[in-house]
Amino acid sequence: MAEERRYGAIITAVASYLPDKVMANHDLERIVDTSDSWIRERTGITERRILEGRPTSYMAAEVARRLLARRRLDPAELDLIIVATISPDMFFPATACLVQDQIGARGAWGFDLSAACSGFVFALATGAQFIESGTHRRVMVIGADKMSSITDMQDRSTCVLFGDGAGGVLLERSEEPGLGMIDFEMHVDGAGCEHLHMKGGGSLFPASHETVDQRLHYIRQEGRTVFKFAVVKMAEVSLSLVARNGLKVEDLDLFVPHQANLRIIEATADRMGLPREKVMVNIDRYANTTGGTIPIALSEACELGRLKKGDLLLMTAVGGGMTWGSALFRWAI
Ligand code: UT7
């Protein structure tokens, strides 16, 4: 793979945006039949953020502005904006177009990428191709979801799991060998659609009084099936990617997994033989923000000084589709 690349695709800035409003487990106790202790023991979540009165593009545009500020770039210097989301402002135009307009990125094109919780790693692998080929210089990859807009607050098995938030990275070219995206491995299995989906509002079940009455415009999932699938596939794809690049798990400096459930994260790390201190976890404060989890966790890892130039970083996710994948980076900043 490396031989065909012209340039390395390096991450030169990381940023996140989290809404101010906090919804704690105790707040949910007043809405559904649940308890703070059940949520903490089964998921590791203590609280999540909720975005009120604004759409997903608002969070994505905030991330974009922060990324530009971090690199002191003019918005006109951006070439491409990719937004990974399953809660776009509307079916079309794409959220990426709305972000492009909000930040004034006059020279950029863009599109949304739909891969549920794997959206950010899919988008990262996609964005890196444009840098490595030499056709683009600056690609913004953002994961953003307002999960509260598609969460059924009458369904205790899902409403405790999700939160709102966004994060992103700026990808740029590097001629320094060995830095940036090393490799990625992505998978889908559409046969898993029944396990995790939101069926209402598309061409299969266009919005109608009936689809609203049947609560089809919300996420539905078979929790236990998704749980087992997530642990097996996140470990499998991570180990495969590490091995096929001639590396060992011990070589990894930081593992940033999708934050869906603390038990999934810990079981995955154990299966991989990865010590807990190399695993980034912040699900306790933000819950599952779908496209947002990995860049939000990565942003926090950078703020905590957990990455330095030359470190080996692995990002892995599993989500509706089913989708799953891993991206391996040599940290460049
Ligand atoms: O990002 C990808 C998307 N999603 C995921 O990765 C989620 C994967 N799945 C999970 O994280 C877990 O399966 C859940 C957190 C959703 C559920 O945990 P679990 O340990 O698999 O519980 P369960 O579904 O087997 O339910 C155990 C019990 C049930 O009661 P009974 O049948 O034993 O009486 C549920 O009705 O817990 C009950 N329950 C709750 N109780 C209190 C389910 N949700 C709740 C709740 N509060 N919020």
Side-chain angles (χ1 to χ4, degrees):
M1 201 170 180
E3 309 74 68
E4 294 136 36
R5 289 179 190 163
R6 280 196 182 187
Y7 302 99
I10 61 169
I11 292 174
T12 56
V14 191
S16 65
Y17 172 83
L18 288 146
D20 292 333
K21 184 178 171 172
V22 174
M23 184 184 270
N25 292 345
H26 290 299
D27 299 320
L28 286 163
E29 286 174 349
R30 289 191 281 274
I31 301 170
V32 285
D33 179 16
T34 191
S35 65
D36 173 53
S37 60
W38 190 96
I39 302 170
R40 274 193 287 109
E41 277 160 30
R42 300 288 180 128
T43 71
I45 300 165
T46 306
E47 59 187 41
R48 73 281 297 135
R49 300 297 178 93
I50 302 294
L51 181 71
E52 288 179 311
R54 293 181 192 273
T56 297
S57 68
Y58 174 80
M59 298 189 290
E62 277 301 312
V63 168
R65 287 189 196 99
R66 290 173 190 193
L67 288 170
L68 290 169
R70 238 148 250 185
R71 283 288 291 149
R72 295 182 210 285
L73 287 173
D74 186 284
E77 292 175 276
L78 273 183
D79 299 319
L80 168 61
I81 301 166
I82 308 175
V83 178
T85 187
I86 54 162
S87 51
D89 290 21
M90 48 192 111
F91 258 135
F92 72 89
T95 311
C97 300
L98 306 175
V99 172
Q100 179 271 343
D101 178 50
Q102 286 174 43
I103 65 169
R106 291 184 305 281
W109 66 293
F111 55 89
D112 288 2
L113 191 150
S114 171
C117 297
S118 309
F120 182 77
V121 283
F122 276 36
L124 199 54
T126 306
Q129 306 310 301
F130 292 94
I131 301 287
E132 289 171 357
S133 65
T135 58
H136 292 56
R137 280 180 176 274
R138 294 190 183 91
V139 176
M140 211 172 247
V141 179
I142 298 170
D145 271 302
K146 179 171 170 161
M147 295 306 289
S148 61
S149 67
I150 54 170
T151 301
D152 186 350
M153 293 309 287
Q154 292 181 13
D155 175 9
R156 69 173 183 175
S157 71
T158 54
C159 75
V160 302
L161 304 174
F162 297 99
D164 302 337
V169 301
L170 186 68
L171 291 173
E172 293 186 78
R173 62 169 64 161
S174 164
E175 290 178 45
E176 205 177 324
L179 291 183
M181 167 87 84
I182 296 171
D183 197 4
F184 63 87
E185 184 177 324
M186 305 293 159
H187 298 273
V188 303
D189 181 1
C193 169
E194 280 310 308
H195 308 316
L196 182 51
H197 55 250
M198 186 185 91
K199 287 196 170 163
S203 54
L204 179 62
F205 297 113
S208 66
H209 288 291
E210 211 180 355
T211 61
V212 172
D213 290 345
Q214 290 174 1
R215 308 185 80 74
L216 293 186
H217 299 270
Y218 295 123
I219 311 154
R220 295 283 170 240
Q221 77 165 341
E222 293 163 19
R224 276 187 225 182
T225 310
V226 174
F227 187 106
K228 284 185 208 141
F229 188 88
V231 173
V232 170
K233 294 301 179 186
M234 291 220 298
E236 192 178 277
V237 73
S238 298
L239 292 174
S240 163
L241 186 60
V242 167
R244 83 180 193 191
N245 283 280
L247 297 160
K248 297 193 192 69
V249 168
E250 301 87 276
D251 297 322
L252 296 173
D253 295 293
L254 189 66
F255 180 50
V256 180
H258 170 51
Q259 314 278 311
N261 185 322
L262 181 62
R263 286 157 56 220
I264 293 178
I265 295 171
E266 291 183 346
T268 302
D270 291 349
R271 229 176 151 97
M272 290 169 64
L274 194 64
R276 298 276 161 86
E277 64 270 17
K278 289 192 174 181
V279 183
M280 185 64 204
V281 174
N282 64 2
I283 188 171
D284 48 323
R285 282 159 291 136
Y286 308 127
N288 183 351
T289 55
T290 300
T293 64
I294 290 181
I296 291 169
L298 185 62
S299 178
E300 198 165 309
C302 291
E303 279 161 26
L304 294 168
R306 291 186 66 171
L307 278 167
K308 59 181 187 315
K309 188 170 179 181
D311 277 356
L312 199 56
L313 164 70
L314 184 69
M315 293 170 268
T316 303
V318 70
M322 300 299 291
T323 56
W324 67 104
S326 274
L328 190 61
F329 269 76
R330 181 74 66 187
W331 200 245
I333 51 174

PDB file of all heavy atoms in Angstrom, residues 23 25-36 39 151-161 215:
ATOM      1  N   MET A  23     -27.000  16.027  31.007  1.00  0.00           N
ATOM      2  CA  MET A  23     -28.103  15.199  31.489  1.00  0.00           C
ATOM      3  C   MET A  23     -27.489  14.024  32.260  1.00  0.00           C
ATOM      4  O   MET A  23     -26.825  13.154  31.671  1.00  0.00           O
ATOM      5  CB  MET A  23     -28.974  14.694  30.342  1.00  0.00           C
ATOM      6  CG  MET A  23     -30.179  13.907  30.847  1.00  0.00           C
ATOM      7  SD  MET A  23     -31.158  13.201  29.521  1.00  0.00           S
ATOM      8  CE  MET A  23     -32.305  14.524  29.218  1.00  0.00           C
ATOM      9  N   ASN A  25     -27.491  10.629  34.906  1.00  0.00           N
ATOM     10  CA  ASN A  25     -28.331   9.430  35.043  1.00  0.00           C
ATOM     11  C   ASN A  25     -29.535   9.702  35.932  1.00  0.00           C
ATOM     12  O   ASN A  25     -30.631   9.195  35.682  1.00  0.00           O
ATOM     13  CB  ASN A  25     -27.508   8.279  35.626  1.00  0.00           C
ATOM     14  CG  ASN A  25     -26.435   7.799  34.664  1.00  0.00           C
ATOM     15  OD1 ASN A  25     -26.476   8.125  33.480  1.00  0.00           O
ATOM     16  ND2 ASN A  25     -25.480   7.030  35.174  1.00  0.00           N
ATOM     17  N   HIS A  26     -29.334  10.506  36.966  1.00  0.00           N
ATOM     18  CA  HIS A  26     -30.449  10.814  37.880  1.00  0.00           C
ATOM     19  C   HIS A  26     -31.581  11.531  37.153  1.00  0.00           C
ATOM     20  O   HIS A  26     -32.753  11.344  37.496  1.00  0.00           O
ATOM     21  CB  HIS A  26     -29.955  11.668  39.055  1.00  0.00           C
ATOM     22  CG  HIS A  26     -29.072  10.897  39.997  1.00  0.00           C
ATOM     23  ND1 HIS A  26     -29.524   9.789  40.668  1.00  0.00           N
ATOM     24  CD2 HIS A  26     -27.773  11.068  40.352  1.00  0.00           C
ATOM     25  CE1 HIS A  26     -28.544   9.295  41.410  1.00  0.00           C
ATOM     26  NE2 HIS A  26     -27.459  10.054  41.232  1.00  0.00           N
ATOM     27  N   ASP A  27     -31.234  12.342  36.157  1.00  0.00           N
ATOM     28  CA  ASP A  27     -32.284  13.023  35.372  1.00  0.00           C
ATOM     29  C   ASP A  27     -33.122  11.995  34.608  1.00  0.00           C
ATOM     30  O   ASP A  27     -34.331  12.151  34.449  1.00  0.00           O
ATOM     31  CB  ASP A  27     -31.665  14.020  34.383  1.00  0.00           C
ATOM     32  CG  ASP A  27     -30.868  15.109  35.090  1.00  0.00           C
ATOM     33  OD1 ASP A  27     -31.340  15.580  36.143  1.00  0.00           O
ATOM     34  OD2 ASP A  27     -29.775  15.479  34.600  1.00  0.00           O
ATOM     35  N   LEU A  28     -32.443  10.931  34.121  1.00  0.00           N
ATOM     36  CA  LEU A  28     -33.171   9.900  33.361  1.00  0.00           C
ATOM     37  C   LEU A  28     -34.082   9.074  34.262  1.00  0.00           C
ATOM     38  O   LEU A  28     -35.098   8.542  33.819  1.00  0.00           O
ATOM     39  CB  LEU A  28     -32.172   8.987  32.636  1.00  0.00           C
ATOM     40  CG  LEU A  28     -31.510   9.624  31.415  1.00  0.00           C
ATOM     41  CD1 LEU A  28     -30.265   8.848  31.001  1.00  0.00           C
ATOM     42  CD2 LEU A  28     -32.494   9.698  30.246  1.00  0.00           C
ATOM     43  N   GLU A  29     -33.706   8.968  35.539  1.00  0.00           N
ATOM     44  CA  GLU A  29     -34.549   8.221  36.492  1.00  0.00           C
ATOM     45  C   GLU A  29     -35.951   8.812  36.565  1.00  0.00           C
ATOM     46  O   GLU A  29     -36.912   8.127  36.917  1.00  0.00           O
ATOM     47  CB  GLU A  29     -33.927   8.262  37.898  1.00  0.00           C
ATOM     48  CG  GLU A  29     -32.704   7.371  38.057  1.00  0.00           C
ATOM     49  CD  GLU A  29     -32.032   7.553  39.417  1.00  0.00           C
ATOM     50  OE1 GLU A  29     -32.390   8.501  40.146  1.00  0.00           O
ATOM     51  OE2 GLU A  29     -31.146   6.743  39.736  1.00  0.00           O
ATOM     52  N   ARG A  30     -36.044  10.118  36.252  1.00  0.00           N
ATOM     53  CA  ARG A  30     -37.356  10.781  36.318  1.00  0.00           C
ATOM     54  C   ARG A  30     -38.166  10.593  35.035  1.00  0.00           C
ATOM     55  O   ARG A  30     -39.332  10.933  34.973  1.00  0.00           O
ATOM     56  CB  ARG A  30     -37.170  12.282  36.597  1.00  0.00           C
ATOM     57  CG  ARG A  30     -36.694  12.569  38.015  1.00  0.00           C
ATOM     58  CD  ARG A  30     -36.774  14.049  38.333  1.00  0.00           C
ATOM     59  NE  ARG A  30     -35.655  14.784  37.749  1.00  0.00           N
ATOM     60  CZ  ARG A  30     -34.474  14.930  38.343  1.00  0.00           C
ATOM     61  NH1 ARG A  30     -34.265  14.409  39.537  1.00  0.00           N
ATOM     62  NH2 ARG A  30     -33.502  15.593  37.759  1.00  0.00           N
ATOM     63  N   ILE A  31     -37.512  10.032  33.998  1.00  0.00           N
ATOM     64  CA  ILE A  31     -38.188   9.904  32.693  1.00  0.00           C
ATOM     65  C   ILE A  31     -38.585   8.454  32.402  1.00  0.00           C
ATOM     66  O   ILE A  31     -39.671   8.176  31.904  1.00  0.00           O
ATOM     67  CB  ILE A  31     -37.263  10.447  31.569  1.00  0.00           C
ATOM     68  CG1 ILE A  31     -36.926  11.925  31.842  1.00  0.00           C
ATOM     69  CG2 ILE A  31     -37.920  10.308  30.191  1.00  0.00           C
ATOM     70  CD1 ILE A  31     -35.842  12.496  30.937  1.00  0.00           C
ATOM     71  N   VAL A  32     -37.663   7.508  32.677  1.00  0.00           N
ATOM     72  CA  VAL A  32     -37.949   6.080  32.444  1.00  0.00           C
ATOM     73  C   VAL A  32     -37.613   5.267  33.697  1.00  0.00           C
ATOM     74  O   VAL A  32     -36.956   5.774  34.613  1.00  0.00           O
ATOM     75  CB  VAL A  32     -37.129   5.505  31.241  1.00  0.00           C
ATOM     76  CG1 VAL A  32     -37.684   5.968  29.922  1.00  0.00           C
ATOM     77  CG2 VAL A  32     -35.645   5.840  31.367  1.00  0.00           C
ATOM     78  N   ASP A  33     -38.049   3.993  33.675  1.00  0.00           N
ATOM     79  CA  ASP A  33     -37.809   3.115  34.816  1.00  0.00           C
ATOM     80  C   ASP A  33     -36.357   2.606  34.759  1.00  0.00           C
ATOM     81  O   ASP A  33     -36.074   1.540  34.203  1.00  0.00           O
ATOM     82  CB  ASP A  33     -38.809   1.946  34.747  1.00  0.00           C
ATOM     83  CG  ASP A  33     -38.609   0.968  35.886  1.00  0.00           C
ATOM     84  OD1 ASP A  33     -37.939   1.325  36.877  1.00  0.00           O
ATOM     85  OD2 ASP A  33     -39.112  -0.174  35.772  1.00  0.00           O
ATOM     86  N   THR A  34     -35.451   3.406  35.315  1.00  0.00           N
ATOM     87  CA  THR A  34     -34.037   3.033  35.313  1.00  0.00           C
ATOM     88  C   THR A  34     -33.399   3.564  36.594  1.00  0.00           C
ATOM     89  O   THR A  34     -34.077   4.180  37.424  1.00  0.00           O
ATOM     90  CB  THR A  34     -33.318   3.593  34.057  1.00  0.00           C
ATOM     91  OG1 THR A  34     -32.022   2.999  33.963  1.00  0.00           O
ATOM     92  CG2 THR A  34     -33.181   5.107  34.088  1.00  0.00           C
ATOM     93  N   SER A  35     -32.114   3.295  36.764  1.00  0.00           N
ATOM     94  CA  SER A  35     -31.432   3.810  37.963  1.00  0.00           C
ATOM     95  C   SER A  35     -29.998   4.170  37.597  1.00  0.00           C
ATOM     96  O   SER A  35     -29.411   3.581  36.677  1.00  0.00           O
ATOM     97  CB  SER A  35     -31.423   2.751  39.070  1.00  0.00           C
ATOM     98  OG  SER A  35     -30.648   1.649  38.658  1.00  0.00           O
ATOM     99  N   ASP A  36     -29.473   5.119  38.352  1.00  0.00           N
ATOM    100  CA  ASP A  36     -28.082   5.524  38.152  1.00  0.00           C
ATOM    101  C   ASP A  36     -27.156   4.306  38.270  1.00  0.00           C
ATOM    102  O   ASP A  36     -26.251   4.121  37.453  1.00  0.00           O
ATOM    103  CB  ASP A  36     -27.735   6.595  39.202  1.00  0.00           C
ATOM    104  CG  ASP A  36     -26.267   6.949  39.191  1.00  0.00           C
ATOM    105  OD1 ASP A  36     -25.753   7.287  38.107  1.00  0.00           O
ATOM    106  OD2 ASP A  36     -25.612   6.872  40.249  1.00  0.00           O
ATOM    107  N   ILE A  39     -27.295   1.994  35.146  1.00  0.00           N
ATOM    108  CA  ILE A  39     -26.624   2.586  33.977  1.00  0.00           C
ATOM    109  C   ILE A  39     -25.105   2.542  34.164  1.00  0.00           C
ATOM    110  O   ILE A  39     -24.362   2.152  33.257  1.00  0.00           O
ATOM    111  CB  ILE A  39     -27.099   4.032  33.715  1.00  0.00           C
ATOM    112  CG1 ILE A  39     -28.617   4.081  33.506  1.00  0.00           C
ATOM    113  CG2 ILE A  39     -26.389   4.626  32.496  1.00  0.00           C
ATOM    114  CD1 ILE A  39     -29.210   5.486  33.470  1.00  0.00           C
ATOM    115  N   THR A 151     -33.454   9.556  19.508  1.00  0.00           N
ATOM    116  CA  THR A 151     -33.519   8.637  20.648  1.00  0.00           C
ATOM    117  C   THR A 151     -34.928   8.629  21.223  1.00  0.00           C
ATOM    118  O   THR A 151     -35.504   9.691  21.468  1.00  0.00           O
ATOM    119  CB  THR A 151     -32.528   9.083  21.747  1.00  0.00           C
ATOM    120  OG1 THR A 151     -31.213   9.086  21.191  1.00  0.00           O
ATOM    121  CG2 THR A 151     -32.551   8.145  22.931  1.00  0.00           C
ATOM    122  N   ASP A 152     -35.455   7.428  21.432  1.00  0.00           N
ATOM    123  CA  ASP A 152     -36.806   7.275  21.976  1.00  0.00           C
ATOM    124  C   ASP A 152     -36.750   7.384  23.505  1.00  0.00           C
ATOM    125  O   ASP A 152     -36.277   6.463  24.179  1.00  0.00           O
ATOM    126  CB  ASP A 152     -37.360   5.901  21.565  1.00  0.00           C
ATOM    127  CG  ASP A 152     -38.816   5.723  21.981  1.00  0.00           C
ATOM    128  OD1 ASP A 152     -39.328   6.573  22.741  1.00  0.00           O
ATOM    129  OD2 ASP A 152     -39.426   4.729  21.531  1.00  0.00           O
ATOM    130  N   MET A 153     -37.235   8.496  24.028  1.00  0.00           N
ATOM    131  CA  MET A 153     -37.152   8.727  25.476  1.00  0.00           C
ATOM    132  C   MET A 153     -38.174   7.895  26.263  1.00  0.00           C
ATOM    133  O   MET A 153     -38.298   8.036  27.466  1.00  0.00           O
ATOM    134  CB  MET A 153     -37.292  10.221  25.798  1.00  0.00           C
ATOM    135  CG  MET A 153     -36.135  11.068  25.293  1.00  0.00           C
ATOM    136  SD  MET A 153     -34.479  10.465  25.760  1.00  0.00           S
ATOM    137  CE  MET A 153     -34.450  10.871  27.509  1.00  0.00           C
ATOM    138  N   GLN A 154     -38.886   6.999  25.543  1.00  0.00           N
ATOM    139  CA  GLN A 154     -39.761   6.042  26.256  1.00  0.00           C
ATOM    140  C   GLN A 154     -39.132   4.652  26.296  1.00  0.00           C
ATOM    141  O   GLN A 154     -39.701   3.724  26.847  1.00  0.00           O
ATOM    142  CB  GLN A 154     -41.122   5.968  25.559  1.00  0.00           C
ATOM    143  CG  GLN A 154     -41.924   7.248  25.696  1.00  0.00           C
ATOM    144  CD  GLN A 154     -43.288   7.153  25.014  1.00  0.00           C
ATOM    145  OE1 GLN A 154     -43.753   6.081  24.638  1.00  0.00           O
ATOM    146  NE2 GLN A 154     -43.924   8.290  24.858  1.00  0.00           N
ATOM    147  N   ASP A 155     -37.973   4.486  25.659  1.00  0.00           N
ATOM    148  CA  ASP A 155     -37.325   3.170  25.571  1.00  0.00           C
ATOM    149  C   ASP A 155     -36.072   3.161  26.460  1.00  0.00           C
ATOM    150  O   ASP A 155     -35.010   3.640  26.059  1.00  0.00           O
ATOM    151  CB  ASP A 155     -36.965   2.886  24.099  1.00  0.00           C
ATOM    152  CG  ASP A 155     -36.184   1.585  23.926  1.00  0.00           C
ATOM    153  OD1 ASP A 155     -36.060   0.816  24.909  1.00  0.00           O
ATOM    154  OD2 ASP A 155     -35.682   1.346  22.806  1.00  0.00           O
ATOM    155  N   ARG A 156     -36.209   2.575  27.640  1.00  0.00           N
ATOM    156  CA  ARG A 156     -35.087   2.643  28.591  1.00  0.00           C
ATOM    157  C   ARG A 156     -33.859   1.870  28.112  1.00  0.00           C
ATOM    158  O   ARG A 156     -32.744   2.115  28.580  1.00  0.00           O
ATOM    159  CB  ARG A 156     -35.515   2.128  29.966  1.00  0.00           C
ATOM    160  CG  ARG A 156     -35.777   0.635  30.014  1.00  0.00           C
ATOM    161  CD  ARG A 156     -36.036   0.160  31.429  1.00  0.00           C
ATOM    162  NE  ARG A 156     -36.220  -1.283  31.462  1.00  0.00           N
ATOM    163  CZ  ARG A 156     -36.366  -1.996  32.557  1.00  0.00           C
ATOM    164  NH1 ARG A 156     -36.389  -1.374  33.734  1.00  0.00           N
ATOM    165  NH2 ARG A 156     -36.511  -3.289  32.515  1.00  0.00           N
ATOM    166  N   SER A 157     -34.078   0.902  27.200  1.00  0.00           N
ATOM    167  CA  SER A 157     -32.932   0.098  26.767  1.00  0.00           C
ATOM    168  C   SER A 157     -32.011   0.867  25.810  1.00  0.00           C
ATOM    169  O   SER A 157     -30.882   0.457  25.573  1.00  0.00           O
ATOM    170  CB  SER A 157     -33.400  -1.205  26.118  1.00  0.00           C
ATOM    171  OG  SER A 157     -33.979  -0.952  24.857  1.00  0.00           O
ATOM    172  N   THR A 158     -32.491   1.982  25.243  1.00  0.00           N
ATOM    173  CA  THR A 158     -31.609   2.780  24.377  1.00  0.00           C
ATOM    174  C   THR A 158     -31.390   4.211  24.871  1.00  0.00           C
ATOM    175  O   THR A 158     -30.309   4.768  24.688  1.00  0.00           O
ATOM    176  CB  THR A 158     -32.151   2.877  22.922  1.00  0.00           C
ATOM    177  OG1 THR A 158     -33.500   3.358  22.971  1.00  0.00           O
ATOM    178  CG2 THR A 158     -32.093   1.551  22.203  1.00  0.00           C
ATOM    179  N   CYS A 159     -32.408   4.798  25.530  1.00  0.00           N
ATOM    180  CA  CYS A 159     -32.285   6.244  25.805  1.00  0.00           C
ATOM    181  C   CYS A 159     -31.184   6.584  26.807  1.00  0.00           C
ATOM    182  O   CYS A 159     -30.732   7.721  26.862  1.00  0.00           O
ATOM    183  CB  CYS A 159     -33.624   6.842  26.239  1.00  0.00           C
ATOM    184  SG  CYS A 159     -34.113   6.444  27.922  1.00  0.00           S
ATOM    185  N   VAL A 160     -30.740   5.593  27.573  1.00  0.00           N
ATOM    186  CA  VAL A 160     -29.681   5.877  28.554  1.00  0.00           C
ATOM    187  C   VAL A 160     -28.281   5.847  27.913  1.00  0.00           C
ATOM    188  O   VAL A 160     -27.304   6.244  28.548  1.00  0.00           O
ATOM    189  CB  VAL A 160     -29.721   4.860  29.733  1.00  0.00           C
ATOM    190  CG1 VAL A 160     -31.079   4.888  30.415  1.00  0.00           C
ATOM    191  CG2 VAL A 160     -29.394   3.441  29.261  1.00  0.00           C
ATOM    192  N   LEU A 161     -28.218   5.355  26.665  1.00  0.00           N
ATOM    193  CA  LEU A 161     -26.906   5.059  26.081  1.00  0.00           C
ATOM    194  C   LEU A 161     -26.260   6.211  25.310  1.00  0.00           C
ATOM    195  O   LEU A 161     -25.058   6.203  25.092  1.00  0.00           O
ATOM    196  CB  LEU A 161     -27.029   3.871  25.100  1.00  0.00           C
ATOM    197  CG  LEU A 161     -27.610   2.573  25.653  1.00  0.00           C
ATOM    198  CD1 LEU A 161     -27.780   1.569  24.514  1.00  0.00           C
ATOM    199  CD2 LEU A 161     -26.708   1.998  26.733  1.00  0.00           C
ATOM    200  N   ARG A 215     -43.438   4.725  16.203  1.00  0.00           N
ATOM    201  CA  ARG A 215     -42.141   5.168  16.733  1.00  0.00           C
ATOM    202  C   ARG A 215     -40.968   4.643  15.884  1.00  0.00           C
ATOM    203  O   ARG A 215     -39.932   4.228  16.411  1.00  0.00           O
ATOM    204  CB  ARG A 215     -42.000   4.764  18.206  1.00  0.00           C
ATOM    205  CG  ARG A 215     -43.181   5.200  19.057  1.00  0.00           C
ATOM    206  CD  ARG A 215     -43.015   4.909  20.523  1.00  0.00           C
ATOM    207  NE  ARG A 215     -42.186   5.873  21.209  1.00  0.00           N
ATOM    208  CZ  ARG A 215     -42.555   7.109  21.519  1.00  0.00           C
ATOM    209  NH1 ARG A 215     -43.753   7.536  21.181  1.00  0.00           N
ATOM    210  NH2 ARG A 215     -41.749   7.912  22.152  1.00  0.00           N
TER     211      ARG A 215
END
